[in-house]
Amino acid sequence: MTHAIIEDLTQRYTAKKYNPAKKVSPEDLHVLLEALRLSASSINSQPWKFVVIESEAAKQKMHDSFAEKFQFNQPHIKACSHIILFANKIKYTPEDYDVVINQNIADNRISQESRALMAGAYSFVESNLDAQGHHTEWTRAQTYIALGNALHTLARLKIDSTTMEGIDGELLKTLFAQELAGYDCHVALAIGYHDDEGDYNLNQPKSRLAAEQVITVV
Amino acid sequence: MTHAIIEDLTQRYTAKKYNPAKKVSPEDLHVLLEALRLSASSINSQPWKFVVIESEAAKQKMHDSFAEKFQFNQPHIKACSHIILFANKIKYTPEDYDVVINQNIADNRISQESRALMAGAYSFVESNLDAQGHHTEWTRAQTYIALGNALHTLARLKIDSTTMEGIDGELLKTLFAQELAGYDCHVALAIGYHDDEGDYNLNQPKSRLAAEQVITVV
């Protein structure tokens, strides 16, 4: 199999040590952030926020968020280029969806007269309520579409990354209280370029279950 | 912005009517299924199964699964080329992870001696238990990484698709009892080629929230 898509997805891996001297270019970062913004989501809800940690001060706060757990991910923070927090809305309200509808009207995708028709799709959100009256399972799932899209984008850009569910979501909500107000954060993505010497995961063979174990054609 | 990645993601859209005469080639389907198989997941758990609905008999069952709800998605089933059910494991057990570890050993990614070290990562699964003692929120999220990867892959292959959370997961588990035993199914993906006449969503402008609404750089 020599298809470019398979080559891209085969060569991507989870970096375990970054070269702090190599940073993602503004041009590539722009492509990645546009790709995130263009990600698909259920009823085009876009129930997310992407917090890009770039400054030294923000990296210090991110570094400090590993005080209590998942310290194995802490070294990436100051060595990588950027970290993106994938934040998902805790309550996705009709007012949130109104903002999306307004954007659809501004983009000439629907007419003002079709507002009520599109608003009807919100019933789908209501069917995804959890026991606490929240929508976090549903909104979290949407952010993982953006994550899958981001990982494919990074493979094409030949940028290394480390997906981190090993983060302290509660402490992050304290440290980034302003940015994460109303959101949960279940996953973060470090991006940058691997260290040629110290990354034990570099050049390791890829391992995935066989097709017959995960794919069934009926 | 004329980057190939942005062009791919901008031109992709949710097809609303398929041309039943146009089917996805075996070569392209193979690339898509390989891309799914190569998707990233937390601790490389791969807690998923991809059920590819291809035969007329299976399409009839899928068609029948809309008996009670979400009938707006029913017309896609017989007109599209294939449907993929994204199934996520309800309970992800240490035995499931052993299968992944065995694969890692077979692929020369870890040594037999490192088995216990890798098995330690299972503690991460235990921290993702829900109130019912299940792992469905976590495993569901992983399948959405594969979904995001699939949508990007389809954009590159210029194959149209319709992501459907509007499916009857419970009825699907009855109709595809053998394939979905032990799994939930929250989302399905129809793939194929749009109908040139009847697809109201074709050539509609794309609508996404502005960068400043969903991206915060700190």
Side-chain angles (χ1 to χ4, degrees), chain A residues 13 200-206, chain B residues 108-110:
Chain A
Y13 78 112
Y200 69 85
N201 212 25
L202 178 67
N203 298 325
Q204 281 269 77
K206 202 161 197 76
Chain B
N108 285 315
R109 197 178 155 77
I110 67 165

Side-chain angles (χ1 to χ4, degrees), chain A residues 9 12 31-41 48 50 86 142-157 189, chain B residues 5-6 8-10 12 39 144-153 155-156 206 208:
Chain A
L9 295 177
R12 68 155 295 283
V31 171
L32 174 63
L33 298 181
E34 273 297 280
L36 285 172
R37 193 178 73 86
L38 289 168
S39 294
S41 57
W48 50 44
F50 306 106
F86 285 67
Q142 309 309 317
T143 62
Y144 279 63
I145 298 177
L147 175 59
N149 185 30
L151 292 175
H152 197 131
T153 299
L154 292 166
R156 292 175 76 175
L157 295 171
L189 183 66
Chain B
I5 291 175
I6 302 306
D8 285 343
L9 295 176
T10 301
R12 69 156 293 284
S39 293
Y144 279 63
I145 298 178
L147 175 60
N149 185 30
L151 293 174
H152 196 131
T153 298
R156 292 175 76 175
K206 202 162 197 74
R208 290 292 188 272

Side-chain angles (χ1 to χ4, degrees), chain B residues 44-125:
Chain B
N44 202 12
S45 54
Q46 305 164 68
W48 48 46
K49 187 190 271 189
F50 307 106
V51 181
V52 183
I53 295 177
E54 181 175 68
S55 69
E56 290 306 310
K59 281 188 177 176
Q60 184 63 50
K61 282 207 284 185
M62 185 77 201
H63 179 90
D64 294 343
S65 78
F66 293 95
E68 292 178 31
K69 46 185 172 177
F70 303 126
Q71 279 91 3
F72 57 88
N73 277 326
Q74 194 174 38
H76 305 322
I77 305 308
K78 294 191 178 179
C80 75
S81 178
H82 295 73
I83 305 104
I84 299 168
L85 306 181
F86 286 67
N88 61 296
K89 202 122 204 297
I90 296 170
K91 287 193 182 201
Y92 188 81
T93 65
E95 291 72 32
D96 290 324
Y97 199 46
D98 268 345
V99 177
V100 171
I101 294 171
N102 289 338
Q103 188 69 48
N104 270 260
I105 294 170
D107 290 335
N108 285 315
R109 197 178 155 77
I110 67 165
S111 65
Q112 186 68 43
E113 291 68 37
S114 304
R115 171 180 286 279
L117 194 68
M118 185 167 172
Y122 185 79
S123 66
F124 195 75
V125 182

Side-chain angles (χ1 to χ4, degrees), chain A residues 50 52 109 165 201 214 216, chain B residues 50 52 109 138 201 214 216:
Chain A
F50 306 106
V52 183
R109 197 176 155 77
E165 282 192 348
N201 212 25
V214 294
T216 303
Chain B
F50 307 106
V52 183
R109 197 178 155 77
W138 181 72
N201 213 24
V214 292
T216 304

Side-chain angles (χ1 to χ4, degrees), chain A residues 36-93:
Chain A
L36 285 172
R37 193 178 73 86
L38 289 168
S39 294
S41 57
S42 184
I43 64 165
N44 202 12
S45 54
Q46 307 163 67
W48 50 44
K49 188 191 272 191
F50 306 106
V51 180
V52 183
I53 295 178
E54 182 174 70
S55 70
E56 291 306 311
K59 283 189 176 176
Q60 183 63 50
K61 283 207 283 185
M62 185 75 200
H63 179 91
D64 294 343
S65 77
F66 292 95
E68 291 177 33
K69 45 186 173 178
F70 303 126
Q71 279 90 4
F72 57 89
N73 277 326
Q74 195 174 37
H76 305 322
I77 305 308
K78 293 190 178 178
C80 75
S81 177
H82 294 74
I83 305 104
I84 299 169
L85 306 181
F86 285 67
N88 61 296
K89 202 124 204 296
I90 296 171
K91 289 193 180 200
Y92 187 82
T93 65

Side-chain angles (χ1 to χ4, degrees), chain B residues 130-203:
Chain B
D130 66 19
Q132 287 84 42
H134 296 164
H135 309 102
T136 49
E137 181 177 345
W138 181 72
T139 59
R140 175 188 183 176
Q142 308 309 317
T143 62
Y144 279 63
I145 298 178
L147 175 60
N149 185 30
L151 293 174
H152 196 131
T153 298
L154 292 166
R156 292 175 76 175
L157 294 172
K158 309 288 185 252
I159 296 172
D160 296 321
S161 66
T162 310
T163 305
M164 301 179 290
E165 282 191 348
I167 52 174
D168 189 336
E170 289 310 309
L171 190 47
L172 281 172
K173 286 206 273 189
T174 302
L175 292 166
F176 294 95
Q178 190 183 331
E179 293 81 7
L180 294 178
Y183 293 79
D184 274 345
C185 179
H186 289 281
V187 66
L189 183 66
I191 62 171
Y193 296 94
H194 66 264
D195 185 275
D196 283 334
E197 304 298 322
D199 184 353
Y200 70 84
N201 213 24
L202 178 66
N203 297 325

Side-chain angles (χ1 to χ4, degrees), chain A residues 1-20:
Chain A
M1 170 57 67
T2 56
H3 196 287
I5 291 174
I6 303 306
E7 283 176 8
D8 285 345
L9 295 177
T10 301
Q11 59 82 30
R12 68 155 295 283
Y13 78 112
T14 300
K16 295 296 184 180
K17 191 173 181 191
Y18 286 89
N19 179 344

